[in-house]
Amino acid sequence: MRKCNKEFQVLFDLDLKSKFYEHVNRIIQDSKYRIIASAISKEKYIKNYGRLSNDVYELALSFIIERAVFCLDEKKDENKQLEIVIEKRGKKEDKKLEEHFQRLMSRGTAYIEAGRLADLKITIHFKDKKENINGLQLADLVAYPIARYVIEPERANPAFEVLKDKIYSKGNKRYGLKIFP
C-alpha cells in the first residue's frame, strides 16, 4: 500500500483514507493472533560479527522458531503443530533457507533440542507474494511498523501502537520481538 499501486490511488481522498485505516486498525486489533518477529540491526551485526559471518534470514528463522516454540509451550494440546509460511525470495535464497531449516530440525537451536522441534512436526512452506495469502498480507502490514519501532523506538509510531499488544508476551515481558544483537 505504501507504494501507491493503481488500486490504492483512491486513498488520495483523505476522508476515505482515514476510514480505510480505521477499518484496517480495527481488524488488526480485533483478530485473534500473536505476532512473533525478529529484527537484526545491520550496523551492530556487522560490527560484532562481520559482514559475511552468517545469513540474517537464517538467523531470523532460528529466532522465530525458538520464540514460536516457547509460545506453543503455553498450549496444552498434545497434537499441536507449527507451520511456518515464508514469502519466496528466489530459488537460491529459498533453497538456502530450507537447508538451514533442515539443519535446525536435525540439530536443534541454541535453546531448543532437535527432539522437541520434531515433536511439534514443524513444517515450512514457501509461497509467492502473488498467491495473495492472508497471513502473508498481515505479515507485510505489521512488518513496517515493527521495523520503524526497532530503528527509532522513541519516535511516534501509531501503527505500532495498534499492534503492539499482539506481540507474544509472557507476564510483562515481550518475547515475540527478538532484536539482535
Side-chain angles (χ1 to χ4, degrees):
M1 287 189 311
R2 293 184 319 113
K3 293 182 181 176
C4 281
N5 292 336
K6 190 176 185 179
E7 298 87 16
F8 292 103
Q9 287 181 353
V10 297
L11 296 180
F12 287 126
D13 176 333
L14 295 182
D15 186 49
L16 186 60
K17 181 178 181 177
S18 176
K19 289 177 183 174
F20 173 77
Y21 279 117
E22 285 175 24
H23 185 69
V24 169
N25 288 345
R26 198 169 30 256
I27 290 170
I28 287 172
Q29 287 175 320
D30 294 346
S31 298
K32 187 176 179 179
Y33 62 92
R34 289 189 183 165
I35 295 171
I36 298 174
S38 174
I40 299 172
S41 170
K42 291 178 188 176
E43 290 176 8
K44 289 180 185 176
Y45 182 85
I46 290 168
K47 182 180 175 187
N48 292 347
Y49 303 101
R51 191 170 287 277
L52 300 173
S53 64
N54 200 343
D55 183 288
V56 293
Y57 287 96
E58 293 176 12
L59 196 54
L61 179 61
S62 299
F63 293 148
I64 287 170
I65 287 175
E66 287 173 351
R67 301 303 167 102
V69 169
F70 298 148
C71 181
L72 285 172
D73 284 345
E74 297 174 11
K75 304 291 180 198
K76 301 302 177 200
D77 183 357
E78 290 181 22
N79 297 314
K80 56 190 167 189
Q81 297 178 6
L82 177 59
E83 179 181 2
I84 300 170
V85 179
I86 300 170
E87 189 173 294
K88 288 182 179 180
R89 294 184 299 138
K91 285 185 181 183
K92 280 192 270 186
E93 294 87 352
D94 296 347
K95 183 176 186 234
K96 187 175 180 191
L97 199 56
E98 168 71 31
E99 289 169 352
H100 176 71
F101 172 75
Q102 295 304 330
R103 283 191 301 276
L104 289 175
M105 294 304 294
S106 65
R107 299 179 192 156
T109 73
Y111 296 99
I112 300 173
E113 295 177 3
R116 192 165 168 209
L117 296 175
D119 289 343
L120 289 173
K121 300 172 191 76
I122 301 174
T123 59
I124 63 171
H125 307 279
F126 293 86
K127 300 291 183 176
D128 195 297
K129 187 179 209 64
K130 295 173 191 161
E131 293 181 63
N132 203 21
I133 297 168
N134 291 339
L136 288 179
Q137 296 292 333
L138 180 61
D140 280 347
L141 280 175
V142 303
Y144 182 73
I146 290 172
R148 276 202 41 221
Y149 169 79
V150 170
I151 293 166
E152 295 180 281
E154 303 304 318
R155 183 178 173 191
N157 189 343
F160 182 78
E161 293 301 315
V162 169
L163 63 86
K164 72 179 182 182
D165 291 337
K166 296 295 186 179
I167 297 173
Y168 166 57
S169 299
K170 190 172 183 179
N172 290 330
K173 185 157 181 179
R174 186 182 290 155
Y175 290 100
L177 177 54
K178 169 72 175 181
I179 301 171
F180 185 79

